[in-house]
Amino acid sequence: MNTEDSFEQKLRRQPYREAPPRWREEILTGARLAATESSAARRPTSGLSFFAACRRNLTNWLWPHPTAWAGLAAIWLLILILNVTTRDSARPQLAGQSAPPSPELQELLREQEQMLADLIGPVEKSGTSEPKRRLPGPRSQRPVELLNI
Amino acid sequence: MSSELDLDRVYDHHAQALYAYLLNLTRDEQDTRDSLQEVFIKLARQAEILEKARDQRAFLIRLAHNAAIDLMRRRGARVGNQNQFASEQISPFAPATDPDEQSFRTELTNALNQLPSDQRVVVHLKLWQGLTFEQIADVLGVSPNTAASRYRYGLDKLRVLLRPLYEEIK
């Protein structure tokens, strides 16, 4: 047992290396900074700092790929500009296309309309084409024939 | 600002012991530093947790242990290589002027590297931190009997590995 004890004592006497002295300042500063940041994050945002909080959240969200987000925004802007400009320039073109047809064409259309009218007869007004459906009245007022059937 | 003063005091009282423990556990100085930083960040954020602890040293070692385990899990690939390159790790012991002592410390470092991590940790806590088996059990979340048996196994292996050199320089 004496050998064991002396062996353990021998091991225990071996001194460990010292922690690098510069770590003290670095670690304590880092710890305090992290604690300050976390307490600031926990603090409720007032009305005035609402926009600041939004901006910070947006920055955090966009931060990983700012170039990609900027490129996407530019593409959307380009699409919007193109859309607005083509819509404005398309209107006069359509108006130009709807110019009155030539007299020959008008005559031809009139003849075709006449031919169609001869074939299908006089056009009835849509309001009188379908008789109104009558709702069934009370049982006592129904015709007797129906009851017999 | 009392918490800032406490943090200084805690560092001065305990950082060296935590450094030695973490270096023994991680076998890597950068991991040791990161784990130590994690411990002090936690203390800076929740200064009251240390005041509630019955045994501050044991509590801090447990914090350090958990921080190191978390870190090593996050860096799984690196940890996987640690055993392979264990012999290339820095020595946790201070350099000695006496060649025999230096030789013994080098061999002790190599022998410790050959121990399984759970035995190495217990041997360190018992020999170099002076904790009881109850305290070690509390730190590691095992029973005192398990801590004692791990210590015995670890010490026996060290004795076998170091016997020739130890007998020579005794």
Side-chain angles (χ1 to χ4, degrees), chain A residues 77-123:
Chain A
L77 200 62
L78 190 67
I79 289 171
L80 185 70
I81 290 166
L82 281 174
N83 191 19
V84 169
T85 50
T86 51
R87 192 194 310 158
D88 289 345
S89 61
R91 276 179 187 157
Q93 281 179 1
L94 287 173
Q97 281 172 1
S98 64
S102 63
E104 292 83 14
L105 191 60
Q106 283 181 349
E107 183 63 27
L108 190 65
L109 282 171
R110 210 172 294 125
E111 281 176 11
Q112 284 188 353
E113 276 177 7
Q114 184 61 42
M115 199 182 298
L116 190 66
D118 291 344
L119 284 171
I120 64 171
V123 179

Side-chain angles (χ1 to χ4, degrees), chain A:
Chain A
M1 292 301 284
N2 192 27
T3 314
E4 284 181 14
D5 287 342
S6 64
F7 180 70
E8 286 181 47
Q9 284 167 11
K10 169 78 177 169
L11 294 184
R12 196 176 280 120
R13 280 199 302 271
Q14 305 306 314
Y16 258 73
R17 289 198 306 146
E18 294 282 323
R22 69 174 191 285
W23 283 17
R24 187 184 189 280
E25 194 58 36
E26 292 171 5
I27 285 175
L28 290 177
T29 307
R32 286 182 183 121
L33 197 65
T36 310
E37 281 173 2
S38 72
S39 65
R42 280 200 301 266
R43 202 176 300 139
T45 51
S46 64
L48 283 175
S49 62
F50 174 74
F51 291 108
C54 284
R55 195 168 65 89
R56 191 183 58 206
N57 289 337
L58 195 65
T59 308
N60 289 341
W61 186 53
L62 295 177
W63 177 244
H65 306 288
T67 319
W69 287 109
L72 194 63
I75 289 168
W76 274 105
L77 200 62
L78 190 67
I79 289 171
L80 185 70
I81 290 166
L82 281 174
N83 191 19
V84 169
T85 50
T86 51
R87 192 194 310 158
D88 289 345
S89 61
R91 276 179 187 157
Q93 281 179 1
L94 287 173
Q97 281 172 1
S98 64
S102 63
E104 292 83 14
L105 191 60
Q106 283 181 349
E107 183 63 27
L108 190 65
L109 282 171
R110 210 172 294 125
E111 281 176 11
Q112 284 188 353
E113 276 177 7
Q114 184 61 42
M115 199 182 298
L116 190 66
D118 291 344
L119 284 171
I120 64 171
V123 179
E124 291 177 355
K125 285 189 176 175
S126 61
T128 56
S129 61
E130 261 187 51
K132 261 188 181 174
R133 286 185 94 177
R134 288 180 59 194
L135 290 171
R139 187 184 293 266
S140 60
Q141 292 176 7
R142 283 185 193 168
V144 181
E145 305 91 312
L146 285 174
L147 292 172
N148 288 339
I149 292 166

Side-chain angles (χ1 to χ4, degrees), chain B residues 11-13 15 38 50 57 60-61 68 74 78 80 93 95-97 104 111-112 114 120 124 131-132 148 163 168-169:
Chain B
Y11 190 94
D12 292 338
H13 275 74
E38 277 299 312
L50 191 61
R57 174 62 61 85
L60 287 170
I61 290 174
R74 286 201 298 271
R78 269 182 66 183
F93 297 104
T97 49
F104 185 77
L112 282 169
Q114 291 181 46
R120 191 172 69 228
H124 174 86
L131 300 190
T132 63
R163 189 188 302 276
E168 190 181 325
I169 65 173

